[in-house]
Amino acid sequence: MHARVGANDGSAAVQAGGLRGSSIIREILASNIEFVVSVPDITTSEGLLRPLAQAGSPKLIRICKEDEGVGICAGLAHCNKRALLLIQQTGMLDSINAIRGVAVEYALPICMMVGLLEKEPDLRPRESKRYGVRIVEPILDAMGIAYHEIEDDADVSKIRPAIDDAYAASRPVVLLIGRRPTAS
Amino acid sequence: MMKADDCLRVLARHVTDQDIIVPVYTSAFDWIAIRPHPLNYLAHGAMGLASSHALGLALGRPDRRVIVIDGDGSLLMNLGSLVSIAEAAPRNLIHFVCENGTYEANGGHPIPNRGHVDFPGFAQSAGYRSTHAFSDLRVFEQQVGAVLAEAGPVFASLKVTPSGPQTRDYSLLHGPAVRAATRAALLAT
């Protein structure tokens, strides 16, 4: 099954709007996420991770490496606790085997919010000039993992249904953060 | 040195029906023969992730004791988890590591720098609340109850030799029926 649920349409250029961290955090909270598990990522550092760390809820679990987070989220999922793994695409790529085995083959709702390092704000990920960005969506396609592009405030409405669907269907989902969210 | 299955039999006598056990590879095959139970959490993928699954379980079920039976080769693949566990500091997590000095499930090849790696030292430096090392079965038998009663995260290395030949049917660890039974048991209790 093709997994590109709710991604942007085929236009080459993305809408040039703003993306507020507070909008994303509102949707994370509305999704009943109880734990955010994270390795810092420069795209989401100021707009998401820092305010989440200051808020105290959801509970922030700091980890050393992203594949740890896949395991932690799996354990939490078995306890009926919702978690979000907040990482960078480099870490996601480093964790492909954990995602393959634990998220996909075990069919677990591992929800990943992935900052796209150095993605150009005016381009869609697969049109990026950065190899490390361009390959992300084709890899997710090959793995059969659903993903959604979050480029501006209009896209944050995708977050809650994506997370709800992941838990309802017990399958992973990736939310790709394509530009640095502002801190407010 | 202790024979691995002898050691796990001693541990099994101290485990309750409420405990969640996360055994890894070779130890998992010994464990499920000694103590079959739906709260044996057996499907944690590969590459040393058992301790990370256990952290998730410990955070998600603070009312339950979570006992990891890790391997030394497995832990070497996920050493950072010691630091992550220490920071999260779940009081209900006990982390055993069976030190046999080999990647036993993958041909018995030695782990790097075998015999010179201080696993309790790693855990202590990472910030575990307490660490222990056992190489004598009688001493382990005397002290395991107290170790399990401590506030976590607790770390204990077990110097072991192989139990003997195993028939390794990995569907008993990763199969859909096993996973479903564990999940149902966790959600039901």
Side-chain angles (χ1 to χ4, degrees):
Chain A
M1 185 184 76
H2 193 277
R4 191 164 165 261
V5 182
N8 288 340
D9 63 24
S11 59
V14 297
Q15 185 179 345
L19 181 58
R20 289 176 297 169
S22 58
S23 302
I24 297 174
I25 291 170
R26 184 191 67 225
E27 293 302 307
I28 291 171
L29 293 170
S31 304
N32 297 313
I33 295 293
E34 294 182 68
F35 294 87
V36 172
V37 182
S38 184
V39 179
D41 151 54
I42 194 62
T43 302
T44 56
S45 165
E46 298 308 312
L48 283 178
L49 181 54
R50 204 173 301 283
L52 282 166
Q54 288 166 350
S57 179
K59 184 175 174 57
L60 175 64
I61 307 297
R62 299 185 194 276
I63 55 172
C64 303
K65 206 154 160 286
E66 291 79 356
D67 57 350
E68 283 180 61
V70 176
I72 293 167
C73 291
L76 286 165
H78 277 83
C79 303
N80 221 15
K81 301 288 185 185
R82 288 191 175 196
L84 181 70
L85 181 55
L86 179 61
I87 55 176
Q88 189 172 94
Q89 98 270 19
T90 50
M92 189 194 79
L93 295 174
D94 193 55
S95 303
I96 287 293
N97 189 58
I99 296 167
R100 183 276 308 166
V102 175
V104 178
E105 295 206 71
Y106 293 169
L108 290 174
I110 309 299
C111 300
M112 292 163 269
M113 186 166 278
V114 178
L116 294 174
L117 176 67
E118 296 187 333
K119 190 189 85 64
E120 306 86 337
D122 56 335
L123 293 178
R124 297 187 57 214
R126 64 178 66 225
E127 285 139 10
S128 172
K129 292 184 170 50
R130 310 279 185 187
Y131 172 77
V133 172
R134 203 165 59 236
I135 62 173
V136 169
E137 290 185 348
I139 287 171
L140 294 172
D141 283 334
M143 296 178 76
I145 296 175
Y147 57 88
H148 306 266
E149 295 171 6
I150 309 296
E151 293 285 342
D152 58 38
D153 265 0
D155 291 328
V156 300
S157 61
K158 300 173 185 173
I159 293 172
R160 185 176 177 183
I163 292 172
D164 284 345
D165 176 73
Y167 281 90
S170 201
R171 61 187 174 197
V173 69
V174 175
L175 300 155
L176 297 166
I177 306 298
R179 68 171 66 202
R180 294 188 184 197
T182 59
S184 60
Chain B
M1 296 287 267
M2 304 176 285
K3 204 154 159 274
D5 55 347
D6 290 341
C7 199
L8 295 180
R9 275 190 200 91
V10 169
L11 176 61
R13 289 203 288 274
H14 292 266
V15 164
T16 75
D17 271 346
Q18 304 300 306
D19 294 334
I20 303 165
I21 315 297
V22 187
V24 175
Y25 280 136
T26 308
S27 298
F29 287 112
D30 283 340
W31 183 259
I32 60 177
I34 293 166
R35 194 253 190 190
H37 195 283
L39 286 179
N40 290 336
Y41 182 103
L42 302 164
H44 31 72
M47 314 298 284
L49 286 183
S51 53
S52 299
H53 286 258
L55 175 55
L57 292 165
L59 293 169
R61 291 301 301 262
D63 58 321
R64 296 299 182 94
R65 198 163 56 176
V66 179
I67 300 171
V68 195
I69 309 173
D70 216 340
D72 47 5
S74 292
L75 181 55
L76 287 176
M77 292 185 181
N78 193 13
L79 271 179
S81 70
L82 292 175
V83 177
S84 304
I85 289 168
E87 168 159 294
R91 296 175 69 82
N92 56 333
L93 180 63
I94 296 125
H95 192 169
F96 289 100
V97 171
C98 290
E99 282 194 57
N100 59 17
T102 68
Y103 290 103
E104 196 173 355
N106 285 297
H109 302 277
I111 62 169
N113 210 21
R114 177 167 65 181
H116 302 284
V117 182
D118 179 3
F119 286 95
F122 281 155
Q124 186 171 22
S125 301
Y128 273 52
R129 213 176 298 266
S130 65
T131 63
H132 306 270
F134 296 100
S135 56
D136 184 294
L137 191 63
R138 283 175 301 177
V139 174
F140 181 59
E141 196 155 16
Q142 288 163 359
Q143 296 187 11
V144 63
V147 169
L148 291 170
E150 289 180 14
V154 176
F155 183 95
S157 80
L158 308 171
K159 299 268 191 184
V160 297
T161 55
S163 307
Q166 290 182 325
T167 302
R168 294 178 186 147
D169 175 0
Y170 281 94
S171 71
L172 298 175
L173 307 185
H174 299 273
V178 176
R179 288 188 273 122
T182 303
R183 199 166 182 179
L186 278 164
L187 294 177
T189 57

